Structures are given as structure tokens and as C-alpha cells.
Amino acid sequence: MKIALVVTEQNPRQLAEMTTFVDLSELESEACEIWRASGITENILMALETRYREAPQDMLLFASGIQGNELATRLATRLKGEACCGVIKGEFGTPQPQFTRPVYGNALVGTFSARGKPWCVSVARSSRSDVSSVTFPQVVLPVSAQPPAWLVAVKRLEEIPHPALNQARFVVVAGQGVASLQNMERVKELARQIGAETGASRQVVMNAWCEMESLIGMSGALIAPEVCIVAGVSGASAFNVGIRDSHLVIAINNDPDATIFNTADVIVVDEMMPVLEALAECFR
Ligand SMILES: Cc1cc2nc3c(=O)[nH]c(=O)nc-3n(C[C@H](O)[C@H](O)[C@H](O)COP(=O)(O)OP(=O)(O)OC[C@H]3O[C@@H](n4cnc5c(N)ncnc54)[C@H](O)[C@@H]3O)c2cc1C
């Protein structure tokens, strides 16, 4: 099978996400090629179409996010293929491959069957960032620098990076159980004392107890620390996707039936603030 991994920016995140898809789908031994194309999405689309006509592929992979989804969908339409967005992995044992992707705000996983080629697939986000082992051949596509005549203005929105959280070995994540801005400030201080980064659930960010950059979950950072301490978080699926790659999850919650306990490795049924204070004291 011929597969093109379309990379549109320098950020290694894109290649890391697509390589995760390749690994999970057991496609490492297929003829994979990296197509680098940067510029305005409209012009990238034209460059991809031209390249595809010269070198047809069975599948084109795109990174997660708005641009990847747009490129996958629009290219599939132009090439009369099929598109699927936010895909975790594919199974290719049958003539009609099956693509697996989260649906309903990550509450369920759906399997979708594809028909006509090429399959244009944008992949799901992943916490992986290391691409040092990727050795696929690369082609740089010529992309026109001139915007199309109908495009009157282009505004580039800055991506909010989560470098510290993404690379942290230890993370303390606070949920709504933290109860106040003052307590959240204390959690940050305690996390700092034990050498951890601080993350937060959406409720905490929405209450303005913590900055947006600290959001963990499907709308925020996907983290993979060695130890993730999750305190006062209920464990909604949209949150859990953000911590699922953690090596060890320690959950603190005063509700013995909290959903987060279903996925945690260590559970502490107690008030979160005294437990975090005691933990920091142990470290001291
Ligand atoms: C499309 C979509 C995207 C979303 N994306 C995200 C996302 O990226 N990240 C995210 O977090 N959410 C996201 N959500 C929201 C998510 O569904 C939950 O609503 C949210 O994660 C709940 O946050 P929480 O667990 O902090 O709050 P709650 O659900 O209110 O849970 C608070 C928990 O704290 C416990 N608690 C209370 N007091 C204490 C105490 N003193 N000590 C210990 N425990 C205590 C309670 O028992 C409870 O379990 C998304 C939702 C949708 C629909």
C-alpha cells in the first residue's frame, strides 16, 4: 500500500501524530512517504492534487485539527475518494478498510468503513512528540506563495503551545473539587514544591481559577507524564482522553464512586487539599 504523510508545518507534532496512526494500524512496512507542503491551505490543496496525479497513493494522512480535517475532506472530494477525520487507527485486512475514531465528545468509539480510494484521513491527536526514529523518504511539494485572486485577506491564528505540560514527568491536575481560586493557587504552589507541572479540568478553567493553557483533555493538552496526580476530578471521558497515556495515575476524590477511580492506578478516597498538603510535606 502507498501512503503519503502530509506535513504542513515545522512542528514535529504533525509527523508524530501520523506516525502514531501508522504504528497503531501496523502499516510500518508499507511504502510510506512524507509530503512536505507549507503555505496557504488553498495552495497546499492544489499542490497535493498535482502531486497525487503524478504519484497516486492509496491513502493520504493529515495531522489532527482544523487544517488537517479541511485538507482531508476537500482533497477527498477533488480526487473522488473518501475522507474520515480524527481517526485513531485503521484495519486494512479487507478490501474496505475500517477506520476507528471517537464520537459523541469522546464518549464512544465508532468504526467506519471506507470504499473508493484514495482514503484521505486526518488522524486523532496523540501525546507523542518524538519523531527521531522516523526514516520515511521525503518530498517537498512546490506550493505557490501567491494567494488565489478571490482570497482578499489571510489572518494566521497563533497556536497555543503546551510545551511544559506535554514534556512534564510529573503533573498535578486539579478539578472542580478544588473549590476556589485560593485553593487553586495553593495547588500550584504544592505542585511546584514536588517538582510537578499543574493542569486543570475544564470546570476549573471555566471558573477562571486557572489559565486556559493548563486545560487537560480533548479540548486541551494530551499529556503522558510518568506520574499524574488527579485531584477533585470526576473523570468525564472528555477529560480522561487527556491523561490516558500517563504511566501512573493517582486519583484523589472524596466520592468513593467517582468515575475517575475506574481508570486510576492508585485511588485515594479523601479531601483533596489535605492529601496534597501531606504529599508535599513528605517530599519536603
Ligand atoms: C465537547 C466537549 C469537550 C470537553 N472537553 C473537555 C476537556 O478538554 N477537559 C475537561 O476537563 N473537560 C472537558 N469537557 C467537560 C467534561 O465533560 C466535564 O464536564 C469536566 O471534565 C468536569 O470537570 P471536573 O471533573 O473538574 O468537575 P466535576 O464533574 O464537577 O467533578 C468534580 C469532582 O470533584 C470531587 N470533589 C468535590 N470536592 C472534593 C474535595 N474536597 N476533595 C476531593 N474531591 C472532591 C467530586 O466528587 C467530583 O467527582 C468537555 C465537554 C464537552 C461536551
Side-chain angles (χ1 to χ4, degrees), residues 73-217:
T73 315
R74 292 182 63 195
L75 193 67
T77 307
R78 288 187 183 201
L79 301 178
K80 304 204 179 338
E82 294 232 338
C84 196
C85 296
V87 177
I88 300 169
K89 66 171 185 163
E91 281 181 31
F92 299 89
T94 56
Q96 295 191 346
Q98 312 263 300
F99 293 115
T100 304
R101 53 155 296 187
V103 290
Y104 298 115
N106 235 62
L108 290 176
V109 173
T111 304
F112 298 83
S113 182
R115 284 162 295 179
K117 289 182 189 174
W119 309 309
C120 297
V121 172
S122 69
V123 301
R125 294 198 304 144
S126 94
S127 58
R128 179 172 164 180
S129 58
D130 179 25
V131 288
S132 55
S133 59
V134 180
T135 54
F136 302 138
Q138 304 203 23
V139 181
V140 178
L141 308 192
V143 179
S144 168
Q146 288 300 315
W150 54 264
L151 196 58
V152 289
V154 176
K155 185 177 176 190
R156 198 170 288 278
L157 299 179
E158 215 171 301
E159 195 182 336
I160 300 168
H162 307 280
L165 272 172
N166 284 346
Q167 281 149 32
R169 291 175 61 210
F170 305 113
V171 177
V172 175
V173 187
Q176 178 135 261
V178 72
S180 69
L181 174 63
Q182 288 78 0
N183 281 352
M184 190 64 214
E185 290 300 318
R186 184 68 186 147
V187 169
K188 286 182 187 171
E189 172 57 22
L190 294 171
R192 200 186 54 72
Q193 287 175 15
I194 64 173
E197 292 292 329
T198 312
S201 74
R202 190 166 84 164
Q203 305 309 88
V204 173
V205 170
M206 289 297 157
N207 291 338
W209 295 339
C210 198
E211 42 293 318
M212 186 69 188
E213 288 74 12
S214 303
L215 176 63
I216 307 287

Side-chain angles (χ1 to χ4, degrees), residues 234-248:
S234 56
S237 53
F239 169 83
N240 283 349
V241 69
I243 61 161
R244 71 177 168 207
D245 291 337
S246 305
H247 294 264
L248 183 82

